[in-house]
Amino acid sequence: MYVVCTSVSPPLTVLYLCSTYKEQMMQDILTSFASMLFKWPTRPIAATAALVIASTTTPGVSEYFQPNSTGIKLQNGYERVYIQPFGNHGMRVRTSIMRDPTGYEWSALLDPPLEGPGGNNGLNYDIGIPFQGNATIRNGNIVASVNLGVLSFFRVESNGSTTLLTKEYTDTKAIAPRFYTQDFRSSSFQSQFDFASEPDEQFYGAGQQACCLDHSVNKKGQVVDLINFNSHVTLPVYMSNKGYLQYFNMPSQGRIEFGTFRTRHVASEATVVDYYITTASPGDYDALQEQFTAVTGRQPIPPDFILGYQQSKLRYFNQTQIIDLAQRFHDEQVNVSLIVVDFFAWKFQGDWSFNPEFWPDPEGMAATVRRLTGAEMMVSLWPSMEDLSVNYLPTQAQGLLATTRDGTGISDSFAGVYTRLIDSTNPAAREFLWKRLNDSYYSVGIHNFWIDQADGGTLGEAFENNGQAISQIPYARAFSQYFIGTQEAAGKMYPWFHQQAINEGFANLTGKDISIQCDHMSLTRSTFVGGQRFCSYLWSGDTDSRFDVLLQQITVGVSVAASGISSWTLDIGGFEGLNVDTDEGRELFVRWLSMGVFLPYMRVHGDRSCSLPPDPRQSFANRCPNEPWSYGEANFVIIKKYIALRYQLKPYVKRLFEMLQQTGKTIMRPLYYDFALSDPFIVTGTQTNDPKIVHQFMMGPRILVAPVGELGATSKEVYLPILSDTAKNQGFTWTHWWTEKDFGTGGKLVAIDAPLDEIPVFYLGLKSDILNGFL
């Protein structure tokens, strides 16, 4: 093997390597030379069998290393691989077979990004390499290196050395790390991409997993199914404790396998494999989220009212109930910010309007609610369409309904009728939907919308025949076909477009730029990456009412947040299984409500059980109560105390959302976010998903929350993390919220009294600063 390092007078520096060498030898050479070469001022050149390392600047300590190339194109026979700088410290990789990508495939990435280089350059490149070629480019502190056709990613450290983040997984007997299976009836294919990982590496994020047995924050060792259904909103994005975030910009169904030595992404159907990777110092997860949300979008600041207490149940079925409810809130002097009308307030599915038999004066109802309580209203909408709906023929005639491969378009059945889906991936369908929502609701003063059941494919579950006597037929999805493609190729983006329909309506109707600040919001049961840039928030779906599920929701919330979506909430009390007449049910509700005080949104909802018989006047109408005064007189006192605390915390919550909008800084924070660098017990506990660690969370940087998840408990052991040197230098210590007792700088388990009215909570700094929204 021959190596020649030629230094031509700056700004040109090229390292030539012969084309016959072993991969590991190449890796050693790259690592040893990189720290020297990255410091030299150079410029990019076209290359074939050369490893090109170039830069346009000589970076200082705080100076950003600008991309040295518009990109690399690897032509590997029928395969094309494009590697381009994208965002701060990021790279975007797109691959295809038989033909080049168009550059216009469906994408959740912003082009150009909000911050950082890249974008608006399509598939440009200035380095072309052949089969088994070699090239390297750098953007900020990330380096992408192609060595004999195999792609690796490195982080450049402050001292100029490089650290391997991940690389395409190769082994003597392994299949190729970029692997395609094509059905030649179309141009699409199944893809399987493998990346090396270390046995002790930790992975976080991957969206929201439904199973109540999943109490994990670290996803290592798991298989995550990329398919949407009720409560299951998995997302193809994850962070590593090695200091990188990887996102597959693909709405395909499939899976992610977090194996011992390799991480595998599988897409059921694709025409282009598109992924993004960015890096930051290990432990700096806020930097990863800042960079990630700069390329996928940032959450606009919600309106103030929605940060208060939200009241809902399944369901209030006429306007008299709503007005009586508002009057009771007024009389009890309990704050409420949002009152919700749940499903089947319509006559037929797809009407997107109130049934006038039960809702004769929506405008007067909304005005009365606002006068009595100051609260806004929200109304539910489903994507399902039955043929008796007033909108069925118009949408069918205009091709605005999703179809299926057999041509019927039927995707599910509910309440005894077969249903189709409005195809919100079609711009014309979104326009039609919003016009109906505006005519029926927005124009009469109901400005907030609840997007329910819009998970895509079926009517919201992982099986067919939703709500029928013969249910759970084991087909995960109907063979749905959308304007943008098939369920397999694009189905995970269906709810994203449903959110967009309402967002477009908000923007077009008001003429406002709502990318920074929202006047109104939609609530959604599903989304895709980038959904955080809408005036919308996600909730965790129809959860069981159990203490173990209460705790599991903590791991759900922090995993969604680690996936870029902090605008999240849940059904306080769980959705199904809580009996309001029992002591156990009442205790569960109060414990869940106390946790809800410290979530991004405080939202009560559920299908309750009680001794009252069903109301024969309306199907799906639950007479059982779910209001603050429904859980016994003693508990009502506690519930009012917690609701009042939420309103005290509103300045803090608003400030957290402002930081989220400005920088992508996560609101609901797993402990590893803030303490992985200062506390080894947090590292070990996160790796093993120790309940002492993963069943606690930080609300922003100053409040530690440790909910009680055990019936009859009156105390709880809380782990107080070791504070960083920075926090110690600020004089921060852990202070108990209720007693003001100082517990020092952490590193220990403490036993805390935890009566129903005192959820275990600790804070850092001055409580007055927190209540005034100062961080």
Side-chain angles (χ1 to χ4, degrees):
M1 178 175 123
Y2 299 93
V3 179
V4 179
C5 183
T6 304
S7 177
V8 185
S9 58
L12 177 62
T13 302
V14 183
L15 171 64
Y16 290 96
L17 299 171
C18 74
S19 59
T20 57
Y21 44 73
K22 294 291 185 181
E23 182 178 337
Q24 186 57 53
M25 298 174 72
M26 174 58 195
Q27 179 63 68
D28 294 341
I29 293 168
L30 175 62
T31 301
S32 62
F33 277 93
S35 62
M36 173 180 67
L37 293 177
F38 290 154
K39 297 177 181 178
W40 293 356
T42 59
R43 62 179 174 85
I45 64 168
T48 55
L51 171 65
V52 180
I53 304 174
S55 168
T56 56
T57 66
T58 304
V61 174
S62 61
E63 193 173 2
Y64 191 86
F65 195 107
Q66 294 299 321
N68 55 14
S69 166
T70 59
I72 298 170
K73 180 182 180 182
L74 166 64
Q75 181 77 44
N76 183 24
Y78 62 82
E79 182 195 36
R80 286 96 160 126
V81 181
Y82 288 84
I83 308 160
Q84 296 173 300
F86 199 79
N88 285 328
H89 312 290
M91 293 286 177
R92 184 179 185 183
V93 179
R94 281 173 280 188
T95 80
S96 62
I97 58 175
M98 309 305 292
R99 56 183 57 82
D100 285 340
T102 65
Y104 297 99
E105 288 79 15
W106 294 107
S107 168
L109 291 172
L110 296 172
D111 192 0
L114 296 175
E115 299 160 3
N120 281 337
N121 61 352
L123 295 166
N124 290 348
Y125 64 96
D126 51 22
I127 301 173
I129 56 176
F131 172 68
Q132 292 197 331
N134 311 297
T136 296
I137 60 174
R138 178 179 173 185
N139 175 25
N141 291 334
I142 195 168
V143 173
S145 171
V146 183
N147 170 25
L148 289 178
V150 176
L151 182 54
S152 302
F153 297 97
F154 301 85
R155 180 178 54 248
V156 182
E157 309 294 356
S158 58
N159 64 2
S161 65
T162 58
T163 300
L164 177 66
L165 300 171
T166 189
K167 62 184 288 295
E168 292 178 330
Y169 180 84
T170 56
D171 190 73
T172 305
K173 297 299 181 182
I175 63 173
R178 302 189 302 271
F179 195 78
Y180 312 89
T181 304
Q182 186 167 26
D183 182 342
F184 283 94
R185 290 177 298 176
S186 70
S187 60
S188 61
F189 50 81
Q190 182 188 82
S191 65
Q192 178 176 296
F193 272 47
D194 292 355
F195 294 88
S197 67
E198 298 175 1
D200 62 348
E201 190 170 357
Q202 299 181 37
F203 292 104
Y204 319 120
Q208 173 179 291
Q209 294 192 67
C211 179
C212 56
L213 298 178
D214 175 36
H215 289 249
S216 68
V217 170
N218 176 22
K219 305 301 178 181
K220 185 71 167 183
Q222 295 191 17
V223 175
V224 176
D225 294 318
L226 298 175
I227 183 171
N228 299 336
F229 53 87
N230 187 352
S231 299
H232 193 84
V233 191
T234 49
L235 301 170
V237 55
Y238 47 85
M239 297 191 296
S240 165
N241 66 331
K242 291 178 64 177
Y244 67 91
L245 177 150
Q246 191 165 15
Y247 159 53
F248 282 84
N249 182 39
M250 304 167 66
S252 313
Q253 294 184 169
R255 65 185 183 274
I256 302 174
E257 303 170 5
F258 293 106
T260 303
F261 296 104
R262 62 181 165 186
T263 300
R264 171 177 290 172
H265 176 273
V266 178
S268 298
E269 183 183 349
T271 55
V272 173
V273 176
D274 184 356
Y275 68 87
Y276 158 87
I277 185 170
T278 188
T279 187
S281 298
D284 194 351
Y285 300 102
D286 284 324
L288 290 178
Q289 288 296 319
E290 181 171 8
Q291 289 149 209
F292 178 53
T293 56
V295 301
T296 57
R298 301 237 167 91
Q299 178 70 45
I301 301 168
D304 283 356
F305 76 86
I306 215 161
L307 302 181
Y309 174 79
Q310 303 178 24
Q311 177 64 44
S312 181
K313 77 165 189 174
L314 186 158
R315 73 181 177 88
Y316 304 109
F317 77 89
N318 64 26
Q319 75 177 48
T320 300
Q321 286 187 325
I322 293 293
I323 292 173
D324 289 346
L325 175 69
Q327 186 68 56
R328 183 72 182 269
F329 270 104
H330 173 273
D331 294 345
E332 297 286 357
Q333 296 184 336
V334 176
N335 278 326
V336 61
S337 293
L338 186 71
I339 291 177
V340 183
V341 177
D342 199 355
F343 75 147
F344 272 64
W346 47 79
K347 187 173 183 179
F348 299 111
Q349 293 179 71
D351 282 351
W352 301 309
S353 62
F354 282 120
N355 183 344
E357 179 182 354
F358 299 98
W359 311 89
D361 183 15
E363 186 170 18
M365 174 183 64
T368 301
V369 166
R370 196 174 291 112
R371 174 177 57 81
L372 289 171
T373 66
E376 296 294 318
M377 290 195 66
M378 175 178 279
V379 65
S380 171
L381 65 114
W382 283 18
S384 49
M385 177 75 69
E386 59 180 287
D387 57 6
L388 291 177
S389 170
V390 66
N391 295 316
Y392 177 74
L393 288 179
T395 52
Q396 168 72 338
Q398 297 174 55
L400 305 183
L401 301 177
T403 187
T404 53
R405 290 178 192 173
D406 61 11
T408 66
I410 294 170
S411 62
D412 212 335
S413 59
F414 195 92
V417 297
Y418 289 110
T419 59
R420 298 183 63 178
L421 295 176
I422 184 74
D423 185 2
S424 292
T425 74
N426 184 336
R430 295 198 298 274
E431 183 178 358
F432 184 97
L433 174 61
W434 174 255
K435 185 177 187 305
R436 293 295 295 142
L437 296 178
N438 180 52
D439 292 345
S440 302
Y441 306 120
Y442 193 97
S443 64
V444 298
I446 300 174
H447 300 146
N448 306 280
F449 298 96
W450 180 0
I451 304 169
D452 201 357
Q453 304 289 118
D455 308 82
T458 62
L459 195 55
E461 303 296 343
F463 49 81
E464 298 285 343
N465 274 20
N466 190 349
Q468 304 303 296
I470 303 174
S471 64
Q472 299 193 24
I473 296 176
Y475 294 95
R477 283 293 182 271
F479 291 122
S480 296
Q481 307 272 0
Y482 304 110
F483 179 80
I484 65 168
T486 66
Q487 176 67 31
E488 290 86 348
K492 284 190 67 63
M493 223 165 176
Y494 176 83
W496 191 95
F497 280 106
H498 221 54
Q499 290 174 280
Q500 188 179 16
I502 294 176
N503 220 63
E504 289 170 341
F506 284 159
N508 293 336
L509 191 67
T510 63
K512 294 182 178 179
D513 177 5
I514 58 173
S515 63
I516 304 298
Q517 176 75 53
C518 303
D519 292 334
H520 317 294
M521 296 285 283
S522 67
L523 171 69
T524 184
R525 197 171 73 182
S526 191
T527 189
F528 190 64
V529 171
Q532 73 273 5
R533 61 181 182 252
F534 300 136
C535 287
S536 188
Y537 58 124
L538 175 71
W539 103 98
S540 61
D542 297 348
T543 53
D544 292 338
S545 297
R546 303 203 313 260
F547 274 98
D548 63 325
V549 177
L550 181 160
L551 294 176
Q552 184 255 358
Q553 291 292 286
I554 298 171
T555 62
V556 166
V558 299
S559 295
V560 170
S563 308
I565 298 176
S566 275
S567 195
W568 179 86
T569 189
L570 45 67
D571 290 349
I572 288 176
F575 175 72
E576 190 169 26
L578 190 153
N579 190 320
V580 300
D581 293 334
T582 66
D583 291 340
E584 178 181 348
R586 292 176 175 187
E587 182 177 336
L588 174 63
F589 180 84
V590 176
R591 288 296 190 193
W592 212 314
L593 182 94
S594 68
M595 180 175 75
V597 173
F598 299 94
L599 297 179
Y601 303 91
M602 186 183 185
R603 173 182 172 271
V604 165
H605 182 65
D607 184 12
R608 301 297 180 237
S609 301
C610 67
S611 59
L612 295 173
D615 192 316
R617 292 174 295 173
Q618 177 87 149
S619 60
F620 305 110
N622 188 338
R623 294 184 66 190
C624 299
N626 191 38
E627 295 73 44
W629 46 85
S630 307
Y631 291 88
E633 291 184 13
N635 288 330
F636 184 30
V637 175
I638 297 172
I639 290 168
K640 286 193 290 185
K641 174 182 174 179
Y642 280 131
I643 293 175
L645 176 58
R646 175 64 181 199
Y647 283 85
Q648 287 182 285
L649 288 169
K650 274 186 67 176
Y652 180 73
V653 178
K654 182 175 181 178
R655 181 61 186 136
L656 295 180
F657 272 104
E658 289 172 348
M659 292 175 65
L660 177 68
Q661 204 291 315
Q662 293 160 8
T663 67
K665 190 179 181 75
T666 301
I667 293 178
M668 188 176 177
R669 304 166 70 81
L671 297 191
Y672 68 81
Y673 256 65
D674 297 295
F675 308 108
L677 297 181
S678 61
D679 194 333
F681 189 65
I682 297 293
V683 176
T684 303
T686 304
Q687 182 174 28
T688 60
N689 290 307
D690 184 341
K692 291 190 292 294
I693 302 302
V694 301
H695 287 162
Q696 301 181 180
F697 66 95
M698 295 291 292
M699 182 198 194
R702 301 282 292 277
I703 299 178
L704 173 69
V705 187
V708 175
E710 182 180 353
L711 179 65
T714 59
S715 64
K716 183 180 175 69
E717 274 199 331
V718 178
Y719 182 72
L720 300 178
I722 300 172
L723 298 181
S724 67
D725 290 340
T726 300
K728 292 176 183 177
N729 291 336
Q730 290 178 278
F732 284 177
T733 57
W734 291 113
T735 305
H736 187 227
W737 186 272
W738 306 106
T739 65
E740 301 297 340
K741 181 179 177 180
D742 191 323
F743 283 84
T745 57
K748 57 187 176 183
L749 282 164
V750 297
I752 296 296
D753 288 338
L756 267 182
D757 65 339
E758 292 184 2
I759 179 177
V761 172
F762 293 80
Y763 67 92
L764 298 172
L766 298 175
K767 183 185 286 187
S768 58
D769 283 348
I770 294 172
L771 296 179
N772 287 310
F774 300 137
L775 301 182

Short mmCIF file of all heavy atoms in Angstrom, two decimals, residues 637-663:
data_model
loop_
_atom_site.label_atom_id
_atom_site.label_comp_id
_atom_site.label_asym_id
_atom_site.label_seq_id
_atom_site.Cartn_x
_atom_site.Cartn_y
_atom_site.Cartn_z
N VAL A 637 -61.45 19.53 46.99
CA VAL A 637 -60.57 20.53 47.59
C VAL A 637 -59.16 20.40 47.05
O VAL A 637 -58.49 21.39 46.69
CB VAL A 637 -60.58 20.41 49.13
CG1 VAL A 637 -59.56 21.36 49.75
CG2 VAL A 637 -61.97 20.67 49.69
N ILE A 638 -58.68 19.15 46.94
CA ILE A 638 -57.32 18.89 46.43
C ILE A 638 -57.24 19.25 44.95
O ILE A 638 -56.27 19.87 44.50
CB ILE A 638 -56.96 17.41 46.66
CG1 ILE A 638 -56.93 17.10 48.15
CG2 ILE A 638 -55.62 17.09 46.01
CD1 ILE A 638 -56.77 15.62 48.47
N ILE A 639 -58.25 18.88 44.19
CA ILE A 639 -58.24 19.14 42.75
C ILE A 639 -58.21 20.65 42.50
O ILE A 639 -57.48 21.13 41.63
CB ILE A 639 -59.46 18.47 42.10
CG1 ILE A 639 -59.28 16.94 42.12
CG2 ILE A 639 -59.66 18.97 40.67
CD1 ILE A 639 -60.54 16.17 41.76
N LYS A 640 -59.00 21.40 43.26
CA LYS A 640 -58.98 22.86 43.10
C LYS A 640 -57.60 23.43 43.42
O LYS A 640 -57.12 24.36 42.77
CB LYS A 640 -60.04 23.50 43.99
CG LYS A 640 -61.46 23.34 43.50
CD LYS A 640 -62.44 24.24 44.22
CE LYS A 640 -62.64 23.81 45.65
NZ LYS A 640 -63.71 24.63 46.32
N LYS A 641 -56.94 22.84 44.42
CA LYS A 641 -55.59 23.29 44.79
C LYS A 641 -54.62 23.06 43.63
O LYS A 641 -53.81 23.94 43.30
CB LYS A 641 -55.14 22.52 46.03
CG LYS A 641 -53.69 22.77 46.44
CD LYS A 641 -53.32 21.91 47.65
CE LYS A 641 -51.84 22.02 48.00
NZ LYS A 641 -51.51 21.20 49.20
N TYR A 642 -54.72 21.90 42.98
CA TYR A 642 -53.81 21.61 41.88
C TYR A 642 -54.12 22.49 40.65
O TYR A 642 -53.20 22.95 39.96
CB TYR A 642 -53.90 20.13 41.49
CG TYR A 642 -53.11 19.22 42.40
CD1 TYR A 642 -53.69 18.07 42.95
CD2 TYR A 642 -51.77 19.48 42.71
CE1 TYR A 642 -52.96 17.22 43.77
CE2 TYR A 642 -51.04 18.63 43.53
CZ TYR A 642 -51.65 17.51 44.06
OH TYR A 642 -50.93 16.67 44.88
N ILE A 643 -55.40 22.70 40.37
CA ILE A 643 -55.74 23.57 39.24
C ILE A 643 -55.22 24.98 39.50
O ILE A 643 -54.67 25.64 38.60
CB ILE A 643 -57.25 23.57 38.99
CG1 ILE A 643 -57.70 22.18 38.49
CG2 ILE A 643 -57.63 24.65 37.97
CD1 ILE A 643 -59.21 22.04 38.34
N ALA A 644 -55.36 25.46 40.73
CA ALA A 644 -54.85 26.79 41.06
C ALA A 644 -53.34 26.86 40.89
O ALA A 644 -52.79 27.87 40.41
CB ALA A 644 -55.24 27.16 42.50
N LEU A 645 -52.63 25.77 41.26
CA LEU A 645 -51.18 25.73 41.09
C LEU A 645 -50.82 25.82 39.61
O LEU A 645 -49.84 26.50 39.24
CB LEU A 645 -50.62 24.46 41.72
CG LEU A 645 -49.12 24.22 41.52
CD1 LEU A 645 -48.29 25.38 42.08
CD2 LEU A 645 -48.70 22.90 42.17
N ARG A 646 -51.58 25.15 38.77
CA ARG A 646 -51.30 25.23 37.33
C ARG A 646 -51.34 26.68 36.84
O ARG A 646 -50.48 27.11 36.07
CB ARG A 646 -52.30 24.39 36.54
CG ARG A 646 -52.16 24.50 35.03
CD ARG A 646 -50.83 23.96 34.53
NE ARG A 646 -50.71 24.09 33.08
CZ ARG A 646 -49.86 23.41 32.34
NH1 ARG A 646 -49.05 22.54 32.90
NH2 ARG A 646 -49.79 23.60 31.03
N TYR A 647 -52.32 27.43 37.30
CA TYR A 647 -52.41 28.83 36.87
C TYR A 647 -51.28 29.67 37.46
O TYR A 647 -50.82 30.63 36.83
CB TYR A 647 -53.79 29.39 37.21
CG TYR A 647 -54.83 28.91 36.23
CD1 TYR A 647 -55.46 27.69 36.40
CD2 TYR A 647 -55.14 29.66 35.09
CE1 TYR A 647 -56.40 27.23 35.48
CE2 TYR A 647 -56.07 29.21 34.17
CZ TYR A 647 -56.69 27.99 34.36
OH TYR A 647 -57.61 27.53 33.43
N GLN A 648 -50.79 29.31 38.64
CA GLN A 648 -49.60 29.97 39.18
C GLN A 648 -48.38 29.70 38.31
O GLN A 648 -47.50 30.56 38.16
CB GLN A 648 -49.32 29.48 40.60
CG GLN A 648 -50.26 30.00 41.67
CD GLN A 648 -49.85 29.48 43.04
OE1 GLN A 648 -50.07 28.31 43.37
NE2 GLN A 648 -49.26 30.34 43.82
N LEU A 649 -48.32 28.51 37.74
CA LEU A 649 -47.17 28.11 36.94
C LEU A 649 -47.24 28.58 35.49
O LEU A 649 -46.29 28.37 34.72
CB LEU A 649 -47.02 26.58 36.96
CG LEU A 649 -46.53 25.96 38.26
CD1 LEU A 649 -46.70 24.44 38.22
CD2 LEU A 649 -45.06 26.31 38.51
N LYS A 650 -48.34 29.18 35.09
CA LYS A 650 -48.49 29.57 33.68
C LYS A 650 -47.35 30.44 33.16
O LYS A 650 -46.88 30.23 32.03
CB LYS A 650 -49.84 30.25 33.45
CG LYS A 650 -50.98 29.28 33.17
CD LYS A 650 -52.27 30.00 32.80
CE LYS A 650 -52.16 30.71 31.47
NZ LYS A 650 -53.45 31.33 31.06
N PRO A 651 -46.84 31.43 33.91
CA PRO A 651 -45.70 32.19 33.38
C PRO A 651 -44.48 31.31 33.10
O PRO A 651 -43.78 31.53 32.11
CB PRO A 651 -45.42 33.20 34.50
CG PRO A 651 -46.71 33.35 35.22
CD PRO A 651 -47.34 32.00 35.18
N TYR A 652 -44.24 30.32 33.95
CA TYR A 652 -43.13 29.39 33.75
C TYR A 652 -43.38 28.53 32.51
O TYR A 652 -42.49 28.36 31.66
CB TYR A 652 -42.97 28.52 34.99
CG TYR A 652 -41.84 27.51 34.93
CD1 TYR A 652 -40.51 27.91 35.02
CD2 TYR A 652 -42.11 26.16 34.82
CE1 TYR A 652 -39.47 26.99 34.99
CE2 TYR A 652 -41.09 25.22 34.79
CZ TYR A 652 -39.77 25.64 34.88
OH TYR A 652 -38.75 24.71 34.85
N VAL A 653 -44.61 28.01 32.39
CA VAL A 653 -44.94 27.18 31.23
C VAL A 653 -44.82 27.99 29.95
O VAL A 653 -44.27 27.52 28.94
CB VAL A 653 -46.36 26.59 31.38
CG1 VAL A 653 -46.73 25.77 30.15
CG2 VAL A 653 -46.46 25.73 32.63
N LYS A 654 -45.31 29.22 29.96
CA LYS A 654 -45.21 30.07 28.77
C LYS A 654 -43.75 30.31 28.40
O LYS A 654 -43.38 30.27 27.21
CB LYS A 654 -45.92 31.39 29.01
CG LYS A 654 -45.89 32.31 27.79
CD LYS A 654 -46.70 33.58 28.00
CE LYS A 654 -46.67 34.46 26.76
NZ LYS A 654 -47.49 35.68 26.92
N ARG A 655 -42.92 30.55 29.41
CA ARG A 655 -41.50 30.78 29.13
C ARG A 655 -40.86 29.54 28.52
O ARG A 655 -40.02 29.64 27.61
CB ARG A 655 -40.78 31.19 30.41
CG ARG A 655 -39.30 31.47 30.21
CD ARG A 655 -39.07 32.61 29.23
NE ARG A 655 -37.66 32.79 28.93
CZ ARG A 655 -37.16 33.01 27.72
NH1 ARG A 655 -37.97 33.09 26.67
NH2 ARG A 655 -35.87 33.16 27.56
N LEU A 656 -41.27 28.36 28.98
CA LEU A 656 -40.74 27.12 28.40
C LEU A 656 -41.12 27.01 26.93
O LEU A 656 -40.32 26.58 26.09
CB LEU A 656 -41.24 25.91 29.18
CG LEU A 656 -40.77 25.79 30.63
CD1 LEU A 656 -41.36 24.54 31.27
CD2 LEU A 656 -39.25 25.77 30.73
N PHE A 657 -42.35 27.38 26.61
CA PHE A 657 -42.78 27.34 25.21
C PHE A 657 -42.06 28.39 24.37
O PHE A 657 -41.79 28.17 23.18
CB PHE A 657 -44.30 27.50 25.10
CG PHE A 657 -45.05 26.20 25.20
CD1 PHE A 657 -45.72 25.85 26.36
CD2 PHE A 657 -45.07 25.31 24.14
CE1 PHE A 657 -46.40 24.65 26.45
CE2 PHE A 657 -45.76 24.10 24.21
CZ PHE A 657 -46.43 23.77 25.38
N GLU A 658 -41.77 29.53 24.96
CA GLU A 658 -40.99 30.54 24.23
C GLU A 658 -39.59 30.02 23.93
O GLU A 658 -39.08 30.21 22.81
CB GLU A 658 -40.92 31.82 25.06
CG GLU A 658 -42.24 32.58 25.15
CD GLU A 658 -42.19 33.74 26.12
OE1 GLU A 658 -41.21 33.83 26.91
OE2 GLU A 658 -43.14 34.55 26.13
N MET A 659 -38.98 29.35 24.88
CA MET A 659 -37.66 28.77 24.65
C MET A 659 -37.74 27.66 23.61
O MET A 659 -36.84 27.51 22.77
CB MET A 659 -37.09 28.23 25.96
CG MET A 659 -36.75 29.30 26.99
SD MET A 659 -36.23 28.60 28.57
CE MET A 659 -34.72 27.79 28.10
N LEU A 660 -38.82 26.88 23.65
CA LEU A 660 -39.02 25.83 22.66
C LEU A 660 -39.09 26.43 21.26
O LEU A 660 -38.48 25.90 20.31
CB LEU A 660 -40.30 25.07 22.98
CG LEU A 660 -40.71 23.96 22.01
CD1 LEU A 660 -39.74 22.79 22.06
CD2 LEU A 660 -42.13 23.47 22.33
N GLN A 661 -39.82 27.53 21.13
CA GLN A 661 -39.95 28.14 19.82
C GLN A 661 -38.63 28.74 19.33
O GLN A 661 -38.27 28.64 18.15
CB GLN A 661 -41.02 29.24 19.88
CG GLN A 661 -41.67 29.56 18.54
CD GLN A 661 -40.75 30.25 17.56
OE1 GLN A 661 -40.03 31.18 17.93
NE2 GLN A 661 -40.76 29.81 16.32
N GLN A 662 -37.88 29.31 20.23
CA GLN A 662 -36.64 29.98 19.85
C GLN A 662 -35.50 29.01 19.56
O GLN A 662 -34.71 29.23 18.65
CB GLN A 662 -36.22 30.95 20.97
CG GLN A 662 -37.17 32.13 21.14
CD GLN A 662 -37.03 32.79 22.50
OE1 GLN A 662 -36.13 32.47 23.27
NE2 GLN A 662 -37.93 33.71 22.81
N THR A 663 -35.43 27.93 20.34
CA THR A 663 -34.24 27.06 20.26
C THR A 663 -34.55 25.58 20.15
O THR A 663 -33.63 24.78 20.00
CB THR A 663 -33.35 27.25 21.50
OG1 THR A 663 -34.04 26.76 22.66
CG2 THR A 663 -33.00 28.72 21.71
#
